[in-house]
Amino acid sequence: MTSASTPQGLARFNVLEEHAALAALHEVCASTAWARRLLAGRPYTTAGDLYAAADAATSVLTAADLDEAMAGHPPIGGPRPGDPASAREQSGMASASDRLKAEMLELNLAYQEKFGHVFLVCATGRTGEQMRDAARERIGNTPERERETVRTELGRINRIRLARLVEADRRPRPL
């Protein structure tokens, strides 16, 4: 049940038709299992309730669910055309030198060869150098440790994207 204190964007999300809510959640995270868990928890009274549900859903994703979620993310330094969320999140690579971009491409390829999936990092607020350093460090992880690191990074990305979803209606609407 929503209340007068429920943020407007969250209240709007709570009453979306199921297919529209599912589509909005898929823009946050490509895992169908994750989206369905959040959908089943509606209505949310506070953004904190939604974030807690998102964290809980992320914590129980299977290996296949994580693979599905990661498949929705482009490599660092290569946001998909028409994907403003990834472009915004990876903006730290936009001003990177050609040398740094080439190094990140090599690291992405080496990482994908070792782990079998895209290098996933919460890139929001990170510089190109910080993303490169994270890739360098994590490429030494065991597959098991990296899987848990990916789960943590996915949770961070999901929270940032959910915040945008919840706060989307705080802007004044044109008349």
Side-chain angles (χ1 to χ4, degrees):
M1 200 165 168
T2 60
S3 71
S5 63
T6 301
Q8 188 177 10
L10 181 58
R12 182 183 154 278
F13 169 74
N14 282 334
V15 297
L16 282 176
E17 290 185 31
E18 184 173 333
H19 74 280
L22 197 55
L25 290 170
H26 271 284
E27 295 215 5
V28 172
C29 180
S31 167
T32 301
W34 181 89
R36 290 227 176 267
R37 282 183 179 274
L38 265 67
L39 192 61
R42 291 189 311 166
Y44 296 98
T45 305
T46 68
D49 294 341
L50 177 63
Y51 302 149
D55 291 345
T58 302
S59 74
V60 296
L61 292 177
T62 66
D65 296 334
L66 278 172
D67 288 342
E68 183 182 27
M70 286 184 290
H73 290 270
I76 295 295
R80 293 181 187 111
D83 184 354
S86 290
R88 180 179 47 249
E89 293 163 356
Q90 294 187 29
S91 64
M93 285 301 295
S95 60
S97 68
D98 288 342
R99 181 176 179 204
L100 179 57
K101 288 177 183 177
E103 188 176 1
M104 196 68 227
L105 175 62
E106 288 178 25
L107 284 165
N108 279 330
L109 293 171
Y111 180 96
Q112 192 156 359
E113 185 175 313
K114 178 174 181 177
F115 295 110
H117 56 79
V118 69
F119 170 65
L120 188 72
V121 65
C122 183
T124 300
R126 290 189 184 206
T127 65
E129 290 82 3
Q130 289 170 323
M131 288 182 260
R132 177 207 53 211
D133 294 348
R136 281 181 179 167
E137 179 182 322
R138 287 175 45 195
I139 207 160
N141 283 348
T142 64
E144 297 78 20
R145 180 170 183 204
E146 187 56 21
R147 201 56 129 163
E148 289 313 306
T149 300
V150 163
R151 186 183 302 277
T152 299
E153 294 296 313
L154 179 64
R156 289 178 180 149
I157 294 165
N158 291 350
R159 273 185 171 242
I160 289 167
R161 290 180 174 186
L162 280 172
R164 285 192 189 104
L165 175 70
V166 168
E167 295 174 6
D169 283 350
R170 289 196 176 172
R171 291 171 275 150
R173 292 178 182 237
L175 296 174

PDB file of all heavy atoms in Angstrom, residues 108-128:
ATOM      1  N   ASN A 108      39.367  -6.098 -21.313  1.00  0.00           N
ATOM      2  CA  ASN A 108      38.024  -6.663 -21.499  1.00  0.00           C
ATOM      3  C   ASN A 108      38.102  -8.025 -22.168  1.00  0.00           C
ATOM      4  O   ASN A 108      37.436  -8.976 -21.756  1.00  0.00           O
ATOM      5  CB  ASN A 108      37.145  -5.731 -22.349  1.00  0.00           C
ATOM      6  CG  ASN A 108      36.534  -4.595 -21.566  1.00  0.00           C
ATOM      7  OD1 ASN A 108      36.258  -4.712 -20.380  1.00  0.00           O
ATOM      8  ND2 ASN A 108      36.318  -3.478 -22.240  1.00  0.00           N
ATOM      9  N   LEU A 109      38.906  -8.125 -23.213  1.00  0.00           N
ATOM     10  CA  LEU A 109      39.032  -9.381 -23.950  1.00  0.00           C
ATOM     11  C   LEU A 109      39.672 -10.472 -23.089  1.00  0.00           C
ATOM     12  O   LEU A 109      39.203 -11.612 -23.071  1.00  0.00           O
ATOM     13  CB  LEU A 109      39.825  -9.171 -25.240  1.00  0.00           C
ATOM     14  CG  LEU A 109      39.133  -8.309 -26.302  1.00  0.00           C
ATOM     15  CD1 LEU A 109      40.093  -7.997 -27.446  1.00  0.00           C
ATOM     16  CD2 LEU A 109      37.861  -8.969 -26.799  1.00  0.00           C
ATOM     17  N   ALA A 110      40.728 -10.127 -22.364  1.00  0.00           N
ATOM     18  CA  ALA A 110      41.399 -11.101 -21.499  1.00  0.00           C
ATOM     19  C   ALA A 110      40.457 -11.557 -20.376  1.00  0.00           C
ATOM     20  O   ALA A 110      40.396 -12.747 -20.043  1.00  0.00           O
ATOM     21  CB  ALA A 110      42.673 -10.497 -20.915  1.00  0.00           C
ATOM     22  N   TYR A 111      39.723 -10.608 -19.810  1.00  0.00           N
ATOM     23  CA  TYR A 111      38.771 -10.924 -18.752  1.00  0.00           C
ATOM     24  C   TYR A 111      37.691 -11.861 -19.278  1.00  0.00           C
ATOM     25  O   TYR A 111      37.367 -12.878 -18.661  1.00  0.00           O
ATOM     26  CB  TYR A 111      38.150  -9.627 -18.214  1.00  0.00           C
ATOM     27  CG  TYR A 111      37.144  -9.838 -17.120  1.00  0.00           C
ATOM     28  CD1 TYR A 111      37.494  -9.742 -15.786  1.00  0.00           C
ATOM     29  CD2 TYR A 111      35.813 -10.153 -17.419  1.00  0.00           C
ATOM     30  CE1 TYR A 111      36.561  -9.942 -14.773  1.00  0.00           C
ATOM     31  CE2 TYR A 111      34.872 -10.365 -16.428  1.00  0.00           C
ATOM     32  CZ  TYR A 111      35.256 -10.261 -15.106  1.00  0.00           C
ATOM     33  OH  TYR A 111      34.337 -10.467 -14.107  1.00  0.00           O
ATOM     34  N   GLN A 112      37.132 -11.524 -20.432  1.00  0.00           N
ATOM     35  CA  GLN A 112      36.065 -12.352 -21.000  1.00  0.00           C
ATOM     36  C   GLN A 112      36.578 -13.748 -21.342  1.00  0.00           C
ATOM     37  O   GLN A 112      35.875 -14.736 -21.136  1.00  0.00           O
ATOM     38  CB  GLN A 112      35.469 -11.684 -22.236  1.00  0.00           C
ATOM     39  CG  GLN A 112      34.202 -12.364 -22.672  1.00  0.00           C
ATOM     40  CD  GLN A 112      33.294 -11.455 -23.461  1.00  0.00           C
ATOM     41  OE1 GLN A 112      33.573 -10.291 -23.684  1.00  0.00           O
ATOM     42  NE2 GLN A 112      32.178 -12.000 -23.889  1.00  0.00           N
ATOM     43  N   GLU A 113      37.798 -13.826 -21.810  1.00  0.00           N
ATOM     44  CA  GLU A 113      38.369 -15.145 -22.113  1.00  0.00           C
ATOM     45  C   GLU A 113      38.518 -15.967 -20.838  1.00  0.00           C
ATOM     46  O   GLU A 113      38.236 -17.166 -20.822  1.00  0.00           O
ATOM     47  CB  GLU A 113      39.728 -14.984 -22.803  1.00  0.00           C
ATOM     48  CG  GLU A 113      40.320 -16.297 -23.253  1.00  0.00           C
ATOM     49  CD  GLU A 113      41.607 -16.093 -24.044  1.00  0.00           C
ATOM     50  OE1 GLU A 113      41.619 -15.245 -24.944  1.00  0.00           O
ATOM     51  OE2 GLU A 113      42.590 -16.782 -23.725  1.00  0.00           O
ATOM     52  N   LYS A 114      38.935 -15.338 -19.752  1.00  0.00           N
ATOM     53  CA  LYS A 114      39.144 -16.068 -18.502  1.00  0.00           C
ATOM     54  C   LYS A 114      37.827 -16.449 -17.827  1.00  0.00           C
ATOM     55  O   LYS A 114      37.677 -17.575 -17.360  1.00  0.00           O
ATOM     56  CB  LYS A 114      39.978 -15.236 -17.524  1.00  0.00           C
ATOM     57  CG  LYS A 114      40.185 -15.950 -16.194  1.00  0.00           C
ATOM     58  CD  LYS A 114      41.120 -15.224 -15.261  1.00  0.00           C
ATOM     59  CE  LYS A 114      41.270 -16.031 -13.968  1.00  0.00           C
ATOM     60  NZ  LYS A 114      42.222 -15.424 -13.047  1.00  0.00           N
ATOM     61  N   PHE A 115      36.888 -15.508 -17.772  1.00  0.00           N
ATOM     62  CA  PHE A 115      35.677 -15.742 -16.987  1.00  0.00           C
ATOM     63  C   PHE A 115      34.442 -16.087 -17.822  1.00  0.00           C
ATOM     64  O   PHE A 115      33.425 -16.504 -17.271  1.00  0.00           O
ATOM     65  CB  PHE A 115      35.375 -14.528 -16.104  1.00  0.00           C
ATOM     66  CG  PHE A 115      36.427 -14.286 -15.057  1.00  0.00           C
ATOM     67  CD1 PHE A 115      37.265 -13.188 -15.137  1.00  0.00           C
ATOM     68  CD2 PHE A 115      36.603 -15.172 -14.007  1.00  0.00           C
ATOM     69  CE1 PHE A 115      38.243 -12.955 -14.171  1.00  0.00           C
ATOM     70  CE2 PHE A 115      37.571 -14.954 -13.038  1.00  0.00           C
ATOM     71  CZ  PHE A 115      38.401 -13.840 -13.127  1.00  0.00           C
ATOM     72  N   GLY A 116      34.502 -15.861 -19.120  1.00  0.00           N
ATOM     73  CA  GLY A 116      33.385 -16.225 -19.988  1.00  0.00           C
ATOM     74  C   GLY A 116      32.240 -15.229 -20.008  1.00  0.00           C
ATOM     75  O   GLY A 116      31.156 -15.542 -20.491  1.00  0.00           O
ATOM     76  N   HIS A 117      32.461 -14.030 -19.476  1.00  0.00           N
ATOM     77  CA  HIS A 117      31.429 -12.993 -19.492  1.00  0.00           C
ATOM     78  C   HIS A 117      32.080 -11.617 -19.457  1.00  0.00           C
ATOM     79  O   HIS A 117      33.275 -11.484 -19.201  1.00  0.00           O
ATOM     80  CB  HIS A 117      30.442 -13.154 -18.326  1.00  0.00           C
ATOM     81  CG  HIS A 117      31.094 -13.166 -16.978  1.00  0.00           C
ATOM     82  ND1 HIS A 117      31.506 -12.026 -16.332  1.00  0.00           N
ATOM     83  CD2 HIS A 117      31.415 -14.201 -16.158  1.00  0.00           C
ATOM     84  CE1 HIS A 117      32.046 -12.352 -15.160  1.00  0.00           C
ATOM     85  NE2 HIS A 117      32.000 -13.674 -15.042  1.00  0.00           N
ATOM     86  N   VAL A 118      31.268 -10.615 -19.704  1.00  0.00           N
ATOM     87  CA  VAL A 118      31.731  -9.237 -19.737  1.00  0.00           C
ATOM     88  C   VAL A 118      32.270  -8.821 -18.357  1.00  0.00           C
ATOM     89  O   VAL A 118      31.802  -9.311 -17.325  1.00  0.00           O
ATOM     90  CB  VAL A 118      30.577  -8.306 -20.200  1.00  0.00           C
ATOM     91  CG1 VAL A 118      29.477  -8.223 -19.161  1.00  0.00           C
ATOM     92  CG2 VAL A 118      31.076  -6.925 -20.549  1.00  0.00           C
ATOM     93  N   PHE A 119      33.269  -7.941 -18.357  1.00  0.00           N
ATOM     94  CA  PHE A 119      33.771  -7.355 -17.117  1.00  0.00           C
ATOM     95  C   PHE A 119      32.713  -6.386 -16.616  1.00  0.00           C
ATOM     96  O   PHE A 119      32.392  -5.400 -17.271  1.00  0.00           O
ATOM     97  CB  PHE A 119      35.097  -6.618 -17.380  1.00  0.00           C
ATOM     98  CG  PHE A 119      35.569  -5.787 -16.220  1.00  0.00           C
ATOM     99  CD1 PHE A 119      35.935  -6.381 -15.027  1.00  0.00           C
ATOM    100  CD2 PHE A 119      35.651  -4.407 -16.331  1.00  0.00           C
ATOM    101  CE1 PHE A 119      36.374  -5.617 -13.951  1.00  0.00           C
ATOM    102  CE2 PHE A 119      36.097  -3.626 -15.271  1.00  0.00           C
ATOM    103  CZ  PHE A 119      36.455  -4.238 -14.081  1.00  0.00           C
ATOM    104  N   LEU A 120      32.116  -6.677 -15.476  1.00  0.00           N
ATOM    105  CA  LEU A 120      31.045  -5.858 -14.911  1.00  0.00           C
ATOM    106  C   LEU A 120      31.566  -5.103 -13.713  1.00  0.00           C
ATOM    107  O   LEU A 120      32.071  -5.705 -12.761  1.00  0.00           O
ATOM    108  CB  LEU A 120      29.864  -6.737 -14.506  1.00  0.00           C
ATOM    109  CG  LEU A 120      28.616  -5.978 -14.076  1.00  0.00           C
ATOM    110  CD1 LEU A 120      27.949  -5.330 -15.282  1.00  0.00           C
ATOM    111  CD2 LEU A 120      27.631  -6.914 -13.400  1.00  0.00           C
ATOM    112  N   VAL A 121      31.464  -3.788 -13.785  1.00  0.00           N
ATOM    113  CA  VAL A 121      31.874  -2.930 -12.685  1.00  0.00           C
ATOM    114  C   VAL A 121      30.899  -1.769 -12.617  1.00  0.00           C
ATOM    115  O   VAL A 121      30.391  -1.320 -13.650  1.00  0.00           O
ATOM    116  CB  VAL A 121      33.336  -2.432 -12.868  1.00  0.00           C
ATOM    117  CG1 VAL A 121      33.467  -1.529 -14.092  1.00  0.00           C
ATOM    118  CG2 VAL A 121      33.860  -1.743 -11.624  1.00  0.00           C
ATOM    119  N   CYS A 122      30.606  -1.317 -11.430  1.00  0.00           N
ATOM    120  CA  CYS A 122      29.778  -0.123 -11.278  1.00  0.00           C
ATOM    121  C   CYS A 122      30.668   1.053 -11.664  1.00  0.00           C
ATOM    122  O   CYS A 122      31.522   1.486 -10.902  1.00  0.00           O
ATOM    123  CB  CYS A 122      29.267   0.006  -9.845  1.00  0.00           C
ATOM    124  SG  CYS A 122      28.180   1.425  -9.625  1.00  0.00           S
ATOM    125  N   ALA A 123      30.473   1.531 -12.880  1.00  0.00           N
ATOM    126  CA  ALA A 123      31.355   2.548 -13.463  1.00  0.00           C
ATOM    127  C   ALA A 123      30.957   3.967 -13.089  1.00  0.00           C
ATOM    128  O   ALA A 123      31.748   4.896 -13.297  1.00  0.00           O
ATOM    129  CB  ALA A 123      31.354   2.401 -14.986  1.00  0.00           C
ATOM    130  N   THR A 124      29.784   4.161 -12.536  1.00  0.00           N
ATOM    131  CA  THR A 124      29.310   5.497 -12.193  1.00  0.00           C
ATOM    132  C   THR A 124      30.306   6.186 -11.254  1.00  0.00           C
ATOM    133  O   THR A 124      30.658   5.651 -10.210  1.00  0.00           O
ATOM    134  CB  THR A 124      27.919   5.429 -11.532  1.00  0.00           C
ATOM    135  OG1 THR A 124      27.020   4.827 -12.453  1.00  0.00           O
ATOM    136  CG2 THR A 124      27.412   6.804 -11.143  1.00  0.00           C
ATOM    137  N   GLY A 125      30.754   7.348 -11.688  1.00  0.00           N
ATOM    138  CA  GLY A 125      31.679   8.143 -10.879  1.00  0.00           C
ATOM    139  C   GLY A 125      33.131   7.704 -10.955  1.00  0.00           C
ATOM    140  O   GLY A 125      33.992   8.305 -10.321  1.00  0.00           O
ATOM    141  N   ARG A 126      33.433   6.679 -11.717  1.00  0.00           N
ATOM    142  CA  ARG A 126      34.815   6.204 -11.835  1.00  0.00           C
ATOM    143  C   ARG A 126      35.477   6.782 -13.076  1.00  0.00           C
ATOM    144  O   ARG A 126      34.841   6.902 -14.114  1.00  0.00           O
ATOM    145  CB  ARG A 126      34.866   4.680 -11.929  1.00  0.00           C
ATOM    146  CG  ARG A 126      34.510   3.989 -10.645  1.00  0.00           C
ATOM    147  CD  ARG A 126      34.805   2.518 -10.754  1.00  0.00           C
ATOM    148  NE  ARG A 126      34.372   1.817  -9.564  1.00  0.00           N
ATOM    149  CZ  ARG A 126      34.895   0.690  -9.156  1.00  0.00           C
ATOM    150  NH1 ARG A 126      35.849   0.106  -9.824  1.00  0.00           N
ATOM    151  NH2 ARG A 126      34.449   0.113  -8.061  1.00  0.00           N
ATOM    152  N   THR A 127      36.751   7.047 -12.951  1.00  0.00           N
ATOM    153  CA  THR A 127      37.527   7.489 -14.100  1.00  0.00           C
ATOM    154  C   THR A 127      37.914   6.277 -14.935  1.00  0.00           C
ATOM    155  O   THR A 127      37.815   5.135 -14.477  1.00  0.00           O
ATOM    156  CB  THR A 127      38.819   8.202 -13.650  1.00  0.00           C
ATOM    157  OG1 THR A 127      39.657   7.237 -12.985  1.00  0.00           O
ATOM    158  CG2 THR A 127      38.530   9.385 -12.732  1.00  0.00           C
ATOM    159  N   GLY A 128      38.364   6.535 -16.137  1.00  0.00           N
ATOM    160  CA  GLY A 128      38.843   5.454 -16.985  1.00  0.00           C
ATOM    161  C   GLY A 128      39.971   4.691 -16.327  1.00  0.00           C
ATOM    162  O   GLY A 128      40.037   3.458 -16.406  1.00  0.00           O
TER     163      GLY A 128
END
